[in-house]
Amino acid sequence: MLHIDSSVFPAEASASRAVAAAFRSHWQEQHPHGTVVHHDLAERPVPHITAAAHTAGFADPASHTPEQAAAFAERIRLIEELEQADAVLIGAPMHNFSIPSTLKAWMDNVILMGRTAGDAPSVKGIPVTIVASRGGSYGPGTPREPYEYVQNYLSAVFGDMLGMKVDFIVPELTMAPHNPAMTELVPLYEASRDRAFEEAAAQAKRLAA
């Protein structure tokens, strides 16, 4: 399993990390001999895409400059990790209506036209579970529904572009216990939290099987 965390907060303060950790724990219980490759992008961010790394993806490797070769080698390492995964787990908290820039950097590196993306994506069919936590509520019918850019964006990239099987676990209203103005929403937060952990357990066990 390839496990990507991107929250800037530590596990005890991050809903996406907590739920992803529960998912991983259940997966490992069912698959004790399985291998987990974990990237904590907050602690060890991957390089943002550069001109050399981008242009190298469209050029014959034999023609790469030393700069292109070095940048492309890092992309290939990340791409191979994704291609070799039987399951992918991504913690994607909502930051300012979108995903953390560190997660976007990782995605820019692994999206390669003609390989992971295009007519025959090399990662097609791989299941990816995304823990899309958020401080408020952005579901259908809520006042902030028009600002839901995380699930829509990640569905387009991982599902439509890369052909992966996408599932979301969405712990929401995570700011309710900390914001006095949201006190009345604490029961809804608690229900969402409990549901997220239940979904993480069920999905992890299903994939491990």
Side-chain angles (χ1 to χ4, degrees):
M1 180 172 70
L2 176 61
H3 176 191
I4 306 292
D5 273 320
S6 63
S7 174
V8 298
F9 297 107
E12 63 272 14
S14 167
S16 67
R17 285 184 184 273
V19 175
F23 181 106
R24 174 175 168 174
S25 177
H26 286 291
W27 187 89
Q28 289 179 304
E29 286 177 4
Q30 301 295 315
H31 196 38
H33 302 296
T35 299
V36 176
V37 175
H38 181 220
H39 287 298
D40 187 334
L41 300 179
E43 288 190 2
R44 297 177 300 278
V46 302
H48 280 77
I49 203 79
T50 62
H54 179 75
T55 56
F58 298 94
D60 183 344
S63 69
H64 286 177
T65 66
E67 184 182 11
Q68 285 179 314
F72 197 57
E74 174 64 12
R75 290 189 69 185
I76 292 300
R77 183 182 69 81
L78 296 172
I79 286 169
E80 289 178 345
E81 286 181 344
L82 179 61
E83 291 174 334
Q84 293 165 7
D86 295 307
V88 180
L89 171 65
I90 298 175
M94 179 183 283
H95 288 183
N96 300 318
F97 303 132
S98 186
I99 61 172
S101 64
T102 51
L103 179 56
K104 179 61 163 59
W106 177 81
M107 292 168 62
D108 286 342
N109 274 280
V110 301
I111 296 170
L112 180 60
M113 294 302 300
R115 183 160 175 171
T116 58
D119 294 333
S122 60
V123 296
K124 184 176 181 178
I126 297 175
V128 53
T129 303
I130 301 172
V131 182
S133 60
R134 60 277 314 274
S137 181
Y138 296 78
T142 63
R144 290 200 167 189
E145 179 183 1
Y147 300 102
E148 207 305 295
Y149 301 116
V150 173
Q151 286 179 262
N152 291 336
Y153 171 61
L154 296 180
S155 292
V157 173
F158 289 106
D160 300 339
M161 192 175 188
L162 303 188
M164 301 177 75
K165 296 179 180 178
V166 183
D167 283 295
F168 285 98
I169 298 174
V170 186
E172 62 178 9
L173 298 167
T174 61
M175 287 300 297
H178 313 288
N179 184 346
M182 298 175 68
T183 298
E184 65 180 18
L185 300 175
V186 168
L188 292 178
Y189 152 72
E190 292 174 342
S192 175
R193 176 198 60 197
D194 294 346
R195 184 169 57 251
F197 281 111
E198 291 170 2
E199 291 175 357
Q203 174 74 345
K205 292 174 181 178
R206 183 181 70 81
L207 288 178

